Amino acid sequence: MSQRPQALFAMAAENVPQVFPPEVLARLRTSVDIEPGLVAEDFADPRVLGTLARAEILVTGWGCPRLDETALDAAPRLRAVLHSAGSVKSFATHALRERGIAVSSAAVANALPVAEYTLAMILLAGKDVLAARDRMRTTRASAGWGVIPGIGNYGRRVGVIGASRIGRRVLDLLRPFDLRPVLSDPYVDERRAAALGVPLLPLDELLRTSGIVTVHAPETPETHRMIGRRELALMPDGAVLINTARGALVDHDALVAELRTGRLSAILDVTDPEPLPADSPLYDLPGAFVTPHLAGSQGNELARLGLAVAEEAERLLAGEEPAHAVDWAALEREA
């Protein structure tokens, strides 16, 4: 691509200015000819058909309509799809893959804030910060200074379930700390675990021996409610479960039963169902800390996703391959 190719936004229109603020949009437009006011929320929309027919690149995002045979037939010059979010499962079809169209994702960029949230929660959980705050709210008093046995982040084992992009990033962020991370992932062998710098454990052993367990596996039929009553019972007294992956990976009825005993705690950025119904006990249980699916890119972090797309567009213009091409073979086992 030696000159600026025609491009088209395909996403919920409200997302364009958030993901592509002025400075990011300006950088994108040095590589492609794209109008921020023209957004395909429906590929059959007459207002976008002319540009879609000329488009060599689609810049997609949350709310992108499905790229099925009909949509692709309307875009005969399409060469690349640059996705300004994580998973492409909601819109990518077999037809897209069959036609050999390059597809890139900003999943690596979106993994960073999730990993940062996870790191923060691991450190806070290790110091018992969230439970201490709740106790002070209840008693309206401070216990004063004194050594509290059983807490702290020196040598604490952190079990990471899933060597996904986020799981790997969490492992990277944990390196400067005196924590002892371990990994469980059926798709990772000992050699790969060694390259990641962590011991590889069966899931049951990880659960039995970790004071903090953080879930970063994809949602697939095999992982549905992978953390159930039996698995929770394996976790030691006082352990903390963190879930930023998908709510359905954890059996919430079993989790609520454990939380009611006070034996375990949980930090949940995702739930099942999502959002939680107003009568969910997770709002009130003292061992539950629930946030509204905010670990992923939010606010000014969205610009990082747009920047990832702008950088991919620059590579295409230079005749290079995308740096973050979607791995079709691995897509089914990704979030």
Side-chain angles (χ1 to χ4, degrees):
M1 297 182 182
S2 57
Q3 57 185 357
R4 286 195 313 154
Q6 181 70 61
L8 174 67
F9 285 114
M11 62 182 75
E14 64 186 15
N15 291 332
V16 172
Q18 298 183 75
V19 180
F20 295 91
E23 65 279 9
V24 178
L25 178 64
R27 180 165 174 178
L28 176 65
R29 296 181 80 180
T30 63
S31 300
V32 300
D33 181 3
I34 194 166
E35 291 299 325
L38 184 65
V39 183
E41 296 182 291
D42 180 349
F43 289 127
D45 185 342
R47 294 171 296 179
V48 304
L49 288 176
T51 303
L52 182 61
R54 300 190 304 274
E56 295 180 57
I57 295 173
L58 283 181
V59 176
T60 60
W62 294 304
C64 177
R66 281 179 63 78
L67 278 166
D68 55 18
E69 291 279 4
T70 301
L72 293 171
D73 286 344
R77 301 185 63 189
L78 187 62
R79 297 291 179 268
V81 173
L82 307 182
H83 189 49
S84 62
S87 176
V88 301
K89 285 184 177 180
S90 64
F91 69 88
T93 64
H94 190 64
L96 183 62
R97 179 180 181 181
E98 278 189 331
R99 296 190 185 204
I101 295 168
V103 181
S104 170
S105 165
V108 170
N110 195 47
L112 179 55
V114 183
E116 291 172 342
Y117 172 104
T118 303
L119 172 65
M121 293 303 175
I122 288 170
L123 296 175
L124 291 175
K127 293 285 281 189
D128 198 36
V129 167
L130 304 178
R133 181 207 61 175
D134 286 345
R135 288 192 294 271
M136 290 186 70
R137 278 183 168 179
T138 300
T139 63
R140 300 289 170 174
S142 171
W145 187 89
V147 175
I148 304 172
I151 72 169
N153 288 313
Y154 179 68
R156 185 177 295 275
R157 174 169 280 188
V158 177
V160 177
I161 300 176
S164 60
R165 291 183 185 88
I166 297 167
R168 295 194 301 272
R169 186 61 177 169
V170 167
L171 291 172
D172 286 341
L173 294 180
L174 289 174
R175 294 188 197 286
F177 300 95
D178 289 323
L179 294 158
R180 294 187 297 125
V182 294
L183 173 69
S184 181
D185 189 318
Y187 298 101
V188 172
D189 57 20
E190 293 284 354
R191 181 186 61 80
R192 177 60 177 149
L196 293 172
V198 289
L200 183 67
L201 300 181
L203 179 59
D204 283 3
E205 184 178 350
L206 179 147
L207 293 169
R208 276 195 298 266
T209 60
S210 298
I212 299 173
V213 174
T214 180
V215 183
H216 302 291
E219 183 180 359
T220 67
E222 293 76 22
T223 62
H224 183 74
R225 296 191 174 181
M226 66 183 296
I227 306 297
R229 193 173 307 277
R230 186 188 74 84
E231 289 75 21
L232 292 167
L234 294 174
M235 296 176 66
D237 291 355
V240 181
L241 176 70
I242 302 173
N243 189 11
T244 59
R246 293 290 185 268
L249 273 61
V250 177
D251 182 336
H252 277 55
D253 290 340
L255 179 61
V256 166
E258 282 282 7
L259 294 176
R260 280 182 169 143
T261 71
R263 200 180 71 79
L264 302 178
S265 299
I267 297 170
L268 308 173
D269 189 54
V270 290
T271 57
D272 183 27
E274 193 173 63
L276 281 176
D279 62 351
S280 172
L282 289 171
Y283 286 116
D284 301 310
L285 283 168
F289 185 85
V290 184
T291 54
H293 205 143
L294 55 74
S297 297
Q298 292 282 345
N300 59 25
E301 295 165 339
L302 296 175
R304 185 191 284 126
L305 306 180
L307 180 61
V309 166
E311 291 171 346
E312 290 286 56
E314 291 166 1
R315 294 183 187 98
L316 292 177
L317 190 66
E320 301 172 8
E321 294 296 316
H324 304 293
V326 169
D327 182 349
W328 294 107
L331 189 60
E332 288 305 312
R333 63 174 189 266
E334 293 181 351

